[in-house]
Amino acid sequence: MPNETKMLCCYLSNLFFSILIKMEIPSGSVLAAIILVIATRWIWQAVNWLWLKPKKIEKILRQQGLQGNNYRFFYGDFKEIKAMVNQTKSAPIDFSQNICSRLNPFLLQHINNYGKNCFMWFGPSARVNIMNPELVKEVFIKMNEFQKVKINPQGRMLAPGVAVHEGDQWVKHRRILNPAFHQEKLKMMLPLFYESCNEMVEKWEKLISRKESVELDVWPYLQNLSCDVISRAAFGSNYEEGKIIFDLLKELTTLIMPIFQSVYIPGWRFIPTKTNNRIKQIDKEIEASLMSIIGKREKAMKESDVTNDDLLGLLIESNLKEINEGEKRAGLSIKEVMDECRLFYFAGQETTSVLLVWTMILLSKFPHWQQQARQEVMQVFGIETPHFDGLSRLKVVTMILYEVLRLYPPAAGTARVVNEEIKLGNLILPAGVQVSVPLVLIHQDPQFWGNDASQFNPQRFSEGISKATNNQLCYLPFGWGPRICIGQNFALAEAKMALALILQRFSFDLSLSYSHAPTALVTVKPEHGAQLVLTKLEP
């Protein structure tokens, strides 16, 4: 037995014997024997989890030519990852730099040191980086073999529902959700998009009314816009109640993110710390709000012919159809409906707001593309209200949005876990290994995108995504395969509507006070806001 293993066993054994002594349990009693057996088993499981299993996996990975740091007890690479992120946060970066240098400098350094297919340690879990398009495709297609990495129970409060389900449960939830995101349903929601977007630009117009231009941090406005759109689209006439949920989710995110950025300790959530108590309280408040909204809607749908144009109505309608066509247990429970509403609310707001803010920042940095987009919008709509058919004809705007999603994908990366030994390409991955797909690095790899991979160039998408990628799987802003984001068309339609209205009424430039500092807080956000100078355009 290695010295490190002996030391760990001795430490845990001494801990349990000291507990027995303090409990004053006679050494010969049956109770003491039972406790000793349980303690021995627990010690062995802990030693296996924290040392033996990681070291065994490390040996297997190295034998296949993969490189990475030696496993370090309990923390793995966590301390170094955190230290490097904190260090890079002290300064902004240039627009020409790969944002991974700020989001995850450890990963960038690791790949430079060990190659693209290196491995890292997230606590006792080994994570192998995969950047080969064919291997990435295999990971996304084989859902049952490469499953979502289980997040701790507190993390599931932010992203429950279809985002975390597997197997038959995922299939059922996805089937019930699909009708709510059909193109025709999306078309019906467009007036809700316009209403929210128009309210925002009218606020901006009032700020400029007595000036030629105004400096404004547009980031909070765009967050509120997405919140308002999601509230209206999800809950219809109850959207004001939906806004309360948004504020609670926002606070919940700030409390849970530090937990994601540290090693998960089983059972820690039960310790009555100030943070844990507040997390529980927020969770109960969100559930109570959702339960109230769903209850009112179900009652209204039973009593009258309510128009189901919002997500909640469509979800309840689809669920009832599922129940009527099959056995009662085939549908979703109220708790499951609440989880899907919570996920849609959280993911939808995050995705669209970051897409819009990076689009406005990049169009401020590259005004010739802003001008091209404005000319197209005015050609299609003039000063009239944007409509669904017109939005689908915005080729330049679509190219811009695709390029923004390439450089600033909502999520910097994604990960899967293998629960049984599996072959991936030439690699044999042991059970328990995680597979990481670093989207930011794949999206800016010169091998796939050319020498200008780190530059903003929407022209690369002039003939569509397939041509831009040479039919390789190297563009995944919304994921890929069966699990591709169900709300991607919703997000793009909302972004096009907002951008069209903004371009019709304003020109915008970067303020001298703007600091380019992308940061990963669930999604890729501007750490210090988005200070722009807005100028009102003459009608």
Side-chain angles (χ1 to χ4, degrees), residues 130-131 133 136-137 140 405-406 409-414 437-440 442-443 448-449 465 469 472-481 484-485 488:
I130 299 295
M131 294 180 65
V136 170
K137 185 183 292 186
F140 279 106
L405 286 166
R406 184 183 74 86
T414 187
V437 181
L439 303 183
V440 169
I442 294 174
H443 282 192
F448 309 130
W449 300 95
I465 293 172
T469 60
Q472 297 183 93
L473 189 60
C474 55
Y475 184 71
L476 312 106
F478 293 104
W480 192 81
I484 193 167
C485 176
Q488 64 172 322

PDB file of all heavy atoms in Angstrom, residues 130-131 133 136-137 140 405-406 409-414 437-440 442-443 448-449 465 469 472-481 484-485 488:
ATOM      1  N   ILE A 130     -11.650  16.809 -25.114  1.00  0.00           N
ATOM      2  CA  ILE A 130     -11.853  16.272 -26.458  1.00  0.00           C
ATOM      3  C   ILE A 130     -12.120  17.436 -27.408  1.00  0.00           C
ATOM      4  O   ILE A 130     -13.063  18.215 -27.197  1.00  0.00           O
ATOM      5  CB  ILE A 130     -13.048  15.290 -26.496  1.00  0.00           C
ATOM      6  CG1 ILE A 130     -12.803  14.100 -25.563  1.00  0.00           C
ATOM      7  CG2 ILE A 130     -13.319  14.824 -27.916  1.00  0.00           C
ATOM      8  CD1 ILE A 130     -11.653  13.217 -25.952  1.00  0.00           C
ATOM      9  N   MET A 131     -11.291  17.558 -28.464  1.00  0.00           N
ATOM     10  CA  MET A 131     -11.480  18.641 -29.427  1.00  0.00           C
ATOM     11  C   MET A 131     -11.568  18.130 -30.866  1.00  0.00           C
ATOM     12  O   MET A 131     -11.782  18.912 -31.786  1.00  0.00           O
ATOM     13  CB  MET A 131     -10.344  19.657 -29.291  1.00  0.00           C
ATOM     14  CG  MET A 131     -10.352  20.392 -27.954  1.00  0.00           C
ATOM     15  SD  MET A 131      -9.020  21.605 -27.773  1.00  0.00           S
ATOM     16  CE  MET A 131      -9.433  22.796 -29.042  1.00  0.00           C
ATOM     17  N   PRO A 133     -13.422  16.800 -33.926  1.00  0.00           N
ATOM     18  CA  PRO A 133     -14.840  16.858 -34.302  1.00  0.00           C
ATOM     19  C   PRO A 133     -15.537  15.505 -34.354  1.00  0.00           C
ATOM     20  O   PRO A 133     -16.705  15.395 -33.958  1.00  0.00           O
ATOM     21  CB  PRO A 133     -14.812  17.515 -35.685  1.00  0.00           C
ATOM     22  CG  PRO A 133     -13.578  18.343 -35.695  1.00  0.00           C
ATOM     23  CD  PRO A 133     -12.581  17.555 -34.891  1.00  0.00           C
ATOM     24  N   VAL A 136     -16.090  14.427 -30.788  1.00  0.00           N
ATOM     25  CA  VAL A 136     -17.135  15.293 -30.206  1.00  0.00           C
ATOM     26  C   VAL A 136     -18.508  14.821 -30.673  1.00  0.00           C
ATOM     27  O   VAL A 136     -19.459  14.732 -29.895  1.00  0.00           O
ATOM     28  CB  VAL A 136     -16.909  16.772 -30.600  1.00  0.00           C
ATOM     29  CG1 VAL A 136     -18.111  17.624 -30.200  1.00  0.00           C
ATOM     30  CG2 VAL A 136     -15.643  17.314 -29.943  1.00  0.00           C
ATOM     31  N   LYS A 137     -18.611  14.494 -31.964  1.00  0.00           N
ATOM     32  CA  LYS A 137     -19.879  14.005 -32.528  1.00  0.00           C
ATOM     33  C   LYS A 137     -20.326  12.735 -31.806  1.00  0.00           C
ATOM     34  O   LYS A 137     -21.502  12.578 -31.452  1.00  0.00           O
ATOM     35  CB  LYS A 137     -19.700  13.723 -34.021  1.00  0.00           C
ATOM     36  CG  LYS A 137     -20.984  13.317 -34.735  1.00  0.00           C
ATOM     37  CD  LYS A 137     -20.729  12.970 -36.197  1.00  0.00           C
ATOM     38  CE  LYS A 137     -20.334  14.187 -36.994  1.00  0.00           C
ATOM     39  NZ  LYS A 137     -20.235  13.889 -38.445  1.00  0.00           N
ATOM     40  N   PHE A 140     -21.741  13.465 -28.334  1.00  0.00           N
ATOM     41  CA  PHE A 140     -23.073  14.071 -28.332  1.00  0.00           C
ATOM     42  C   PHE A 140     -24.160  13.118 -28.824  1.00  0.00           C
ATOM     43  O   PHE A 140     -25.307  13.219 -28.392  1.00  0.00           O
ATOM     44  CB  PHE A 140     -23.079  15.346 -29.180  1.00  0.00           C
ATOM     45  CG  PHE A 140     -22.531  16.550 -28.461  1.00  0.00           C
ATOM     46  CD1 PHE A 140     -21.283  17.056 -28.774  1.00  0.00           C
ATOM     47  CD2 PHE A 140     -23.252  17.174 -27.461  1.00  0.00           C
ATOM     48  CE1 PHE A 140     -20.768  18.155 -28.116  1.00  0.00           C
ATOM     49  CE2 PHE A 140     -22.752  18.266 -26.784  1.00  0.00           C
ATOM     50  CZ  PHE A 140     -21.505  18.764 -27.108  1.00  0.00           C
ATOM     51  N   LEU A 405     -21.955  34.179 -31.518  1.00  0.00           N
ATOM     52  CA  LEU A 405     -22.086  32.907 -30.804  1.00  0.00           C
ATOM     53  C   LEU A 405     -20.826  32.053 -30.935  1.00  0.00           C
ATOM     54  O   LEU A 405     -20.533  31.239 -30.065  1.00  0.00           O
ATOM     55  CB  LEU A 405     -23.297  32.129 -31.336  1.00  0.00           C
ATOM     56  CG  LEU A 405     -24.673  32.661 -30.912  1.00  0.00           C
ATOM     57  CD1 LEU A 405     -25.771  32.028 -31.752  1.00  0.00           C
ATOM     58  CD2 LEU A 405     -24.929  32.412 -29.433  1.00  0.00           C
ATOM     59  N   ARG A 406     -20.092  32.234 -32.007  1.00  0.00           N
ATOM     60  CA  ARG A 406     -18.827  31.508 -32.160  1.00  0.00           C
ATOM     61  C   ARG A 406     -17.780  32.025 -31.188  1.00  0.00           C
ATOM     62  O   ARG A 406     -17.119  31.260 -30.478  1.00  0.00           O
ATOM     63  CB  ARG A 406     -18.308  31.641 -33.603  1.00  0.00           C
ATOM     64  CG  ARG A 406     -17.048  30.831 -33.879  1.00  0.00           C
ATOM     65  CD  ARG A 406     -16.538  31.051 -35.290  1.00  0.00           C
ATOM     66  NE  ARG A 406     -15.916  32.368 -35.438  1.00  0.00           N
ATOM     67  CZ  ARG A 406     -14.642  32.653 -35.165  1.00  0.00           C
ATOM     68  NH1 ARG A 406     -13.846  31.707 -34.674  1.00  0.00           N
ATOM     69  NH2 ARG A 406     -14.164  33.867 -35.357  1.00  0.00           N
ATOM     70  N   PRO A 409     -19.756  32.010 -27.045  1.00  0.00           N
ATOM     71  CA  PRO A 409     -20.863  31.073 -26.823  1.00  0.00           C
ATOM     72  C   PRO A 409     -21.419  31.256 -25.414  1.00  0.00           C
ATOM     73  O   PRO A 409     -20.666  31.582 -24.495  1.00  0.00           O
ATOM     74  CB  PRO A 409     -20.208  29.707 -26.996  1.00  0.00           C
ATOM     75  CG  PRO A 409     -18.757  29.932 -26.708  1.00  0.00           C
ATOM     76  CD  PRO A 409     -18.458  31.325 -27.181  1.00  0.00           C
ATOM     77  N   PRO A 410     -22.739  31.084 -25.240  1.00  0.00           N
ATOM     78  CA  PRO A 410     -23.319  31.269 -23.901  1.00  0.00           C
ATOM     79  C   PRO A 410     -22.589  30.473 -22.822  1.00  0.00           C
ATOM     80  O   PRO A 410     -22.313  30.974 -21.737  1.00  0.00           O
ATOM     81  CB  PRO A 410     -24.759  30.780 -24.080  1.00  0.00           C
ATOM     82  CG  PRO A 410     -25.050  31.020 -25.524  1.00  0.00           C
ATOM     83  CD  PRO A 410     -23.755  30.758 -26.242  1.00  0.00           C
ATOM     84  N   ALA A 411     -22.270  29.208 -23.126  1.00  0.00           N
ATOM     85  CA  ALA A 411     -21.503  28.370 -22.188  1.00  0.00           C
ATOM     86  C   ALA A 411     -20.104  28.171 -22.747  1.00  0.00           C
ATOM     87  O   ALA A 411     -19.936  27.880 -23.935  1.00  0.00           O
ATOM     88  CB  ALA A 411     -22.188  27.020 -21.999  1.00  0.00           C
ATOM     89  N   ALA A 412     -19.096  28.323 -21.892  1.00  0.00           N
ATOM     90  CA  ALA A 412     -17.704  28.187 -22.342  1.00  0.00           C
ATOM     91  C   ALA A 412     -17.346  26.759 -22.703  1.00  0.00           C
ATOM     92  O   ALA A 412     -16.428  26.511 -23.482  1.00  0.00           O
ATOM     93  CB  ALA A 412     -16.761  28.700 -21.256  1.00  0.00           C
ATOM     94  N   GLY A 413     -18.076  25.793 -22.146  1.00  0.00           N
ATOM     95  CA  GLY A 413     -17.795  24.391 -22.425  1.00  0.00           C
ATOM     96  C   GLY A 413     -18.885  23.514 -21.846  1.00  0.00           C
ATOM     97  O   GLY A 413     -19.787  23.995 -21.159  1.00  0.00           O
ATOM     98  N   THR A 414     -18.807  22.239 -22.152  1.00  0.00           N
ATOM     99  CA  THR A 414     -19.771  21.290 -21.600  1.00  0.00           C
ATOM    100  C   THR A 414     -19.037  20.000 -21.265  1.00  0.00           C
ATOM    101  O   THR A 414     -17.931  19.761 -21.767  1.00  0.00           O
ATOM    102  CB  THR A 414     -20.920  21.021 -22.596  1.00  0.00           C
ATOM    103  OG1 THR A 414     -21.924  20.231 -21.965  1.00  0.00           O
ATOM    104  CG2 THR A 414     -20.427  20.303 -23.843  1.00  0.00           C
ATOM    105  N   VAL A 437     -15.778  19.051 -23.430  1.00  0.00           N
ATOM    106  CA  VAL A 437     -15.771  19.636 -24.774  1.00  0.00           C
ATOM    107  C   VAL A 437     -15.646  21.155 -24.595  1.00  0.00           C
ATOM    108  O   VAL A 437     -16.627  21.831 -24.323  1.00  0.00           O
ATOM    109  CB  VAL A 437     -17.052  19.286 -25.554  1.00  0.00           C
ATOM    110  CG1 VAL A 437     -17.013  19.878 -26.965  1.00  0.00           C
ATOM    111  CG2 VAL A 437     -17.263  17.773 -25.608  1.00  0.00           C
ATOM    112  N   PRO A 438     -14.421  21.705 -24.703  1.00  0.00           N
ATOM    113  CA  PRO A 438     -14.209  23.141 -24.466  1.00  0.00           C
ATOM    114  C   PRO A 438     -14.649  23.977 -25.674  1.00  0.00           C
ATOM    115  O   PRO A 438     -13.880  24.204 -26.609  1.00  0.00           O
ATOM    116  CB  PRO A 438     -12.696  23.236 -24.232  1.00  0.00           C
ATOM    117  CG  PRO A 438     -12.121  22.076 -24.988  1.00  0.00           C
ATOM    118  CD  PRO A 438     -13.165  20.998 -25.005  1.00  0.00           C
ATOM    119  N   LEU A 439     -15.895  24.414 -25.682  1.00  0.00           N
ATOM    120  CA  LEU A 439     -16.481  25.089 -26.841  1.00  0.00           C
ATOM    121  C   LEU A 439     -15.691  26.320 -27.261  1.00  0.00           C
ATOM    122  O   LEU A 439     -15.493  26.568 -28.452  1.00  0.00           O
ATOM    123  CB  LEU A 439     -17.937  25.493 -26.538  1.00  0.00           C
ATOM    124  CG  LEU A 439     -18.897  24.369 -26.135  1.00  0.00           C
ATOM    125  CD1 LEU A 439     -20.289  24.920 -25.944  1.00  0.00           C
ATOM    126  CD2 LEU A 439     -18.898  23.267 -27.165  1.00  0.00           C
ATOM    127  N   VAL A 440     -15.255  27.121 -26.290  1.00  0.00           N
ATOM    128  CA  VAL A 440     -14.544  28.363 -26.607  1.00  0.00           C
ATOM    129  C   VAL A 440     -13.288  28.074 -27.413  1.00  0.00           C
ATOM    130  O   VAL A 440     -12.973  28.786 -28.378  1.00  0.00           O
ATOM    131  CB  VAL A 440     -14.198  29.127 -25.315  1.00  0.00           C
ATOM    132  CG1 VAL A 440     -13.236  30.263 -25.605  1.00  0.00           C
ATOM    133  CG2 VAL A 440     -15.467  29.699 -24.686  1.00  0.00           C
ATOM    134  N   ILE A 442     -12.629  25.225 -29.212  1.00  0.00           N
ATOM    135  CA  ILE A 442     -12.996  24.635 -30.504  1.00  0.00           C
ATOM    136  C   ILE A 442     -13.466  25.723 -31.466  1.00  0.00           C
ATOM    137  O   ILE A 442     -13.124  25.724 -32.649  1.00  0.00           O
ATOM    138  CB  ILE A 442     -14.090  23.558 -30.315  1.00  0.00           C
ATOM    139  CG1 ILE A 442     -13.530  22.364 -29.524  1.00  0.00           C
ATOM    140  CG2 ILE A 442     -14.636  23.097 -31.665  1.00  0.00           C
ATOM    141  CD1 ILE A 442     -14.567  21.321 -29.154  1.00  0.00           C
ATOM    142  N   HIS A 443     -14.247  26.668 -30.954  1.00  0.00           N
ATOM    143  CA  HIS A 443     -14.787  27.754 -31.783  1.00  0.00           C
ATOM    144  C   HIS A 443     -13.707  28.705 -32.295  1.00  0.00           C
ATOM    145  O   HIS A 443     -13.968  29.480 -33.228  1.00  0.00           O
ATOM    146  CB  HIS A 443     -15.813  28.565 -30.981  1.00  0.00           C
ATOM    147  CG  HIS A 443     -17.142  27.906 -30.882  1.00  0.00           C
ATOM    148  ND1 HIS A 443     -18.275  28.544 -30.417  1.00  0.00           N
ATOM    149  CD2 HIS A 443     -17.540  26.648 -31.203  1.00  0.00           C
ATOM    150  CE1 HIS A 443     -19.301  27.709 -30.447  1.00  0.00           C
ATOM    151  NE2 HIS A 443     -18.877  26.551 -30.909  1.00  0.00           N
ATOM    152  N   PHE A 448      -9.670  24.695 -37.606  1.00  0.00           N
ATOM    153  CA  PHE A 448     -11.019  24.634 -38.178  1.00  0.00           C
ATOM    154  C   PHE A 448     -11.438  25.947 -38.836  1.00  0.00           C
ATOM    155  O   PHE A 448     -12.221  25.956 -39.781  1.00  0.00           O
ATOM    156  CB  PHE A 448     -12.038  24.270 -37.096  1.00  0.00           C
ATOM    157  CG  PHE A 448     -11.681  23.060 -36.285  1.00  0.00           C
ATOM    158  CD1 PHE A 448     -11.706  23.103 -34.900  1.00  0.00           C
ATOM    159  CD2 PHE A 448     -11.308  21.871 -36.899  1.00  0.00           C
ATOM    160  CE1 PHE A 448     -11.374  21.992 -34.142  1.00  0.00           C
ATOM    161  CE2 PHE A 448     -10.967  20.755 -36.154  1.00  0.00           C
ATOM    162  CZ  PHE A 448     -11.002  20.817 -34.769  1.00  0.00           C
ATOM    163  N   TRP A 449     -10.944  27.072 -38.302  1.00  0.00           N
ATOM    164  CA  TRP A 449     -11.463  28.371 -38.706  1.00  0.00           C
ATOM    165  C   TRP A 449     -10.451  29.253 -39.450  1.00  0.00           C
ATOM    166  O   TRP A 449     -10.795  30.351 -39.872  1.00  0.00           O
ATOM    167  CB  TRP A 449     -11.969  29.126 -37.468  1.00  0.00           C
ATOM    168  CG  TRP A 449     -13.059  28.383 -36.759  1.00  0.00           C
ATOM    169  CD1 TRP A 449     -12.924  27.547 -35.696  1.00  0.00           C
ATOM    170  CD2 TRP A 449     -14.446  28.364 -37.094  1.00  0.00           C
ATOM    171  NE1 TRP A 449     -14.134  27.018 -35.332  1.00  0.00           N
ATOM    172  CE2 TRP A 449     -15.087  27.503 -36.170  1.00  0.00           C
ATOM    173  CE3 TRP A 449     -15.221  28.998 -38.078  1.00  0.00           C
ATOM    174  CZ2 TRP A 449     -16.458  27.268 -36.205  1.00  0.00           C
ATOM    175  CZ3 TRP A 449     -16.590  28.757 -38.109  1.00  0.00           C
ATOM    176  CH2 TRP A 449     -17.198  27.897 -37.189  1.00  0.00           C
ATOM    177  N   ILE A 465     -23.685  27.774 -42.053  1.00  0.00           N
ATOM    178  CA  ILE A 465     -22.813  27.140 -41.058  1.00  0.00           C
ATOM    179  C   ILE A 465     -22.004  25.995 -41.662  1.00  0.00           C
ATOM    180  O   ILE A 465     -20.811  25.847 -41.394  1.00  0.00           O
ATOM    181  CB  ILE A 465     -23.655  26.644 -39.858  1.00  0.00           C
ATOM    182  CG1 ILE A 465     -24.254  27.833 -39.100  1.00  0.00           C
ATOM    183  CG2 ILE A 465     -22.806  25.794 -38.918  1.00  0.00           C
ATOM    184  CD1 ILE A 465     -25.249  27.453 -38.030  1.00  0.00           C
ATOM    185  N   THR A 469     -17.872  25.749 -41.606  1.00  0.00           N
ATOM    186  CA  THR A 469     -17.197  24.720 -40.803  1.00  0.00           C
ATOM    187  C   THR A 469     -16.623  23.586 -41.653  1.00  0.00           C
ATOM    188  O   THR A 469     -16.066  22.635 -41.086  1.00  0.00           O
ATOM    189  CB  THR A 469     -18.180  24.107 -39.790  1.00  0.00           C
ATOM    190  OG1 THR A 469     -19.279  23.514 -40.508  1.00  0.00           O
ATOM    191  CG2 THR A 469     -18.720  25.146 -38.824  1.00  0.00           C
ATOM    192  N   GLN A 472     -17.570  20.120 -40.617  1.00  0.00           N
ATOM    193  CA  GLN A 472     -17.010  19.509 -39.407  1.00  0.00           C
ATOM    194  C   GLN A 472     -17.798  19.985 -38.187  1.00  0.00           C
ATOM    195  O   GLN A 472     -18.340  21.091 -38.183  1.00  0.00           O
ATOM    196  CB  GLN A 472     -15.544  19.911 -39.234  1.00  0.00           C
ATOM    197  CG  GLN A 472     -14.641  19.445 -40.343  1.00  0.00           C
ATOM    198  CD  GLN A 472     -13.200  19.829 -40.063  1.00  0.00           C
ATOM    199  OE1 GLN A 472     -12.428  19.068 -39.500  1.00  0.00           O
ATOM    200  NE2 GLN A 472     -12.817  21.035 -40.453  1.00  0.00           N
ATOM    201  N   LEU A 473     -17.841  19.156 -37.164  1.00  0.00           N
ATOM    202  CA  LEU A 473     -18.578  19.532 -35.956  1.00  0.00           C
ATOM    203  C   LEU A 473     -17.663  20.386 -35.066  1.00  0.00           C
ATOM    204  O   LEU A 473     -17.078  19.902 -34.100  1.00  0.00           O
ATOM    205  CB  LEU A 473     -19.059  18.295 -35.193  1.00  0.00           C
ATOM    206  CG  LEU A 473     -20.026  18.576 -34.042  1.00  0.00           C
ATOM    207  CD1 LEU A 473     -21.287  19.258 -34.533  1.00  0.00           C
ATOM    208  CD2 LEU A 473     -20.392  17.290 -33.314  1.00  0.00           C
ATOM    209  N   CYS A 474     -17.546  21.660 -35.430  1.00  0.00           N
ATOM    210  CA  CYS A 474     -16.691  22.566 -34.656  1.00  0.00           C
ATOM    211  C   CYS A 474     -17.435  23.856 -34.303  1.00  0.00           C
ATOM    212  O   CYS A 474     -16.814  24.853 -33.940  1.00  0.00           O
ATOM    213  CB  CYS A 474     -15.408  22.875 -35.431  1.00  0.00           C
ATOM    214  SG  CYS A 474     -15.676  23.540 -37.076  1.00  0.00           S
ATOM    215  N   TYR A 475     -18.765  23.823 -34.419  1.00  0.00           N
ATOM    216  CA  TYR A 475     -19.599  24.987 -34.072  1.00  0.00           C
ATOM    217  C   TYR A 475     -20.785  24.477 -33.275  1.00  0.00           C
ATOM    218  O   TYR A 475     -21.693  23.857 -33.809  1.00  0.00           O
ATOM    219  CB  TYR A 475     -20.053  25.701 -35.344  1.00  0.00           C
ATOM    220  CG  TYR A 475     -20.845  26.966 -35.096  1.00  0.00           C
ATOM    221  CD1 TYR A 475     -20.222  28.118 -34.607  1.00  0.00           C
ATOM    222  CD2 TYR A 475     -22.209  27.024 -35.372  1.00  0.00           C
ATOM    223  CE1 TYR A 475     -20.944  29.281 -34.385  1.00  0.00           C
ATOM    224  CE2 TYR A 475     -22.930  28.190 -35.156  1.00  0.00           C
ATOM    225  CZ  TYR A 475     -22.297  29.318 -34.663  1.00  0.00           C
ATOM    226  OH  TYR A 475     -23.012  30.476 -34.445  1.00  0.00           O
ATOM    227  N   LEU A 476     -20.765  24.715 -31.964  1.00  0.00           N
ATOM    228  CA  LEU A 476     -21.774  24.123 -31.085  1.00  0.00           C
ATOM    229  C   LEU A 476     -22.290  25.107 -30.031  1.00  0.00           C
ATOM    230  O   LEU A 476     -22.303  24.799 -28.839  1.00  0.00           O
ATOM    231  CB  LEU A 476     -21.193  22.903 -30.357  1.00  0.00           C
ATOM    232  CG  LEU A 476     -20.452  21.872 -31.173  1.00  0.00           C
ATOM    233  CD1 LEU A 476     -18.950  21.973 -30.925  1.00  0.00           C
ATOM    234  CD2 LEU A 476     -20.923  20.481 -30.811  1.00  0.00           C
ATOM    235  N   PRO A 477     -22.712  26.311 -30.400  1.00  0.00           N
ATOM    236  CA  PRO A 477     -23.147  27.273 -29.376  1.00  0.00           C
ATOM    237  C   PRO A 477     -24.372  26.813 -28.589  1.00  0.00           C
ATOM    238  O   PRO A 477     -24.569  27.217 -27.439  1.00  0.00           O
ATOM    239  CB  PRO A 477     -23.451  28.534 -30.190  1.00  0.00           C
ATOM    240  CG  PRO A 477     -23.738  28.048 -31.562  1.00  0.00           C
ATOM    241  CD  PRO A 477     -22.844  26.865 -31.756  1.00  0.00           C
ATOM    242  N   PHE A 478     -25.214  25.973 -29.217  1.00  0.00           N
ATOM    243  CA  PHE A 478     -26.404  25.451 -28.531  1.00  0.00           C
ATOM    244  C   PHE A 478     -26.305  23.943 -28.323  1.00  0.00           C
ATOM    245  O   PHE A 478     -27.306  23.269 -28.135  1.00  0.00           O
ATOM    246  CB  PHE A 478     -27.659  25.776 -29.344  1.00  0.00           C
ATOM    247  CG  PHE A 478     -27.969  27.242 -29.418  1.00  0.00           C
ATOM    248  CD1 PHE A 478     -27.700  27.968 -30.567  1.00  0.00           C
ATOM    249  CD2 PHE A 478     -28.523  27.914 -28.335  1.00  0.00           C
ATOM    250  CE1 PHE A 478     -27.991  29.325 -30.641  1.00  0.00           C
ATOM    251  CE2 PHE A 478     -28.811  29.268 -28.391  1.00  0.00           C
ATOM    252  CZ  PHE A 478     -28.545  29.981 -29.550  1.00  0.00           C
ATOM    253  N   GLY A 479     -25.083  23.418 -28.347  1.00  0.00           N
ATOM    254  CA  GLY A 479     -24.914  21.978 -28.260  1.00  0.00           C
ATOM    255  C   GLY A 479     -25.137  21.338 -29.621  1.00  0.00           C
ATOM    256  O   GLY A 479     -25.136  22.023 -30.656  1.00  0.00           O
ATOM    257  N   TRP A 480     -25.365  20.033 -29.637  1.00  0.00           N
ATOM    258  CA  TRP A 480     -25.558  19.317 -30.896  1.00  0.00           C
ATOM    259  C   TRP A 480     -26.172  17.964 -30.597  1.00  0.00           C
ATOM    260  O   TRP A 480     -26.121  17.477 -29.473  1.00  0.00           O
ATOM    261  CB  TRP A 480     -24.211  19.137 -31.608  1.00  0.00           C
ATOM    262  CG  TRP A 480     -24.341  18.664 -33.024  1.00  0.00           C
ATOM    263  CD1 TRP A 480     -24.627  19.403 -34.130  1.00  0.00           C
ATOM    264  CD2 TRP A 480     -24.202  17.310 -33.478  1.00  0.00           C
ATOM    265  NE1 TRP A 480     -24.665  18.609 -35.245  1.00  0.00           N
ATOM    266  CE2 TRP A 480     -24.406  17.312 -34.877  1.00  0.00           C
ATOM    267  CE3 TRP A 480     -23.916  16.104 -32.842  1.00  0.00           C
ATOM    268  CZ2 TRP A 480     -24.346  16.165 -35.642  1.00  0.00           C
ATOM    269  CZ3 TRP A 480     -23.854  14.949 -33.604  1.00  0.00           C
ATOM    270  CH2 TRP A 480     -24.065  14.986 -34.985  1.00  0.00           C
ATOM    271  N   GLY A 481     -26.788  17.352 -31.617  1.00  0.00           N
ATOM    272  CA  GLY A 481     -27.356  16.026 -31.446  1.00  0.00           C
ATOM    273  C   GLY A 481     -28.722  16.065 -30.780  1.00  0.00           C
ATOM    274  O   GLY A 481     -29.381  17.118 -30.747  1.00  0.00           O
ATOM    275  N   ILE A 484     -29.630  18.948 -28.364  1.00  0.00           N
ATOM    276  CA  ILE A 484     -29.450  20.335 -28.773  1.00  0.00           C
ATOM    277  C   ILE A 484     -30.506  21.211 -28.106  1.00  0.00           C
ATOM    278  O   ILE A 484     -31.647  20.791 -27.899  1.00  0.00           O
ATOM    279  CB  ILE A 484     -29.527  20.460 -30.312  1.00  0.00           C
ATOM    280  CG1 ILE A 484     -29.033  21.841 -30.752  1.00  0.00           C
ATOM    281  CG2 ILE A 484     -30.933  20.171 -30.827  1.00  0.00           C
ATOM    282  CD1 ILE A 484     -28.779  21.949 -32.248  1.00  0.00           C
ATOM    283  N   CYS A 485     -30.121  22.413 -27.728  1.00  0.00           N
ATOM    284  CA  CYS A 485     -30.986  23.299 -26.938  1.00  0.00           C
ATOM    285  C   CYS A 485     -32.343  23.482 -27.609  1.00  0.00           C
ATOM    286  O   CYS A 485     -32.435  23.945 -28.755  1.00  0.00           O
ATOM    287  CB  CYS A 485     -30.305  24.651 -26.762  1.00  0.00           C
ATOM    288  SG  CYS A 485     -31.325  25.868 -25.903  1.00  0.00           S
ATOM    289  N   GLN A 488     -33.273  27.222 -28.855  1.00  0.00           N
ATOM    290  CA  GLN A 488     -32.363  28.019 -29.673  1.00  0.00           C
ATOM    291  C   GLN A 488     -33.101  28.934 -30.648  1.00  0.00           C
ATOM    292  O   GLN A 488     -32.714  30.096 -30.835  1.00  0.00           O
ATOM    293  CB  GLN A 488     -31.382  27.123 -30.433  1.00  0.00           C
ATOM    294  CG  GLN A 488     -31.990  26.182 -31.444  1.00  0.00           C
ATOM    295  CD  GLN A 488     -30.914  25.493 -32.280  1.00  0.00           C
ATOM    296  OE1 GLN A 488     -29.922  26.082 -32.648  1.00  0.00           O
ATOM    297  NE2 GLN A 488     -31.121  24.213 -32.567  1.00  0.00           N
TER     298      GLN A 488
END
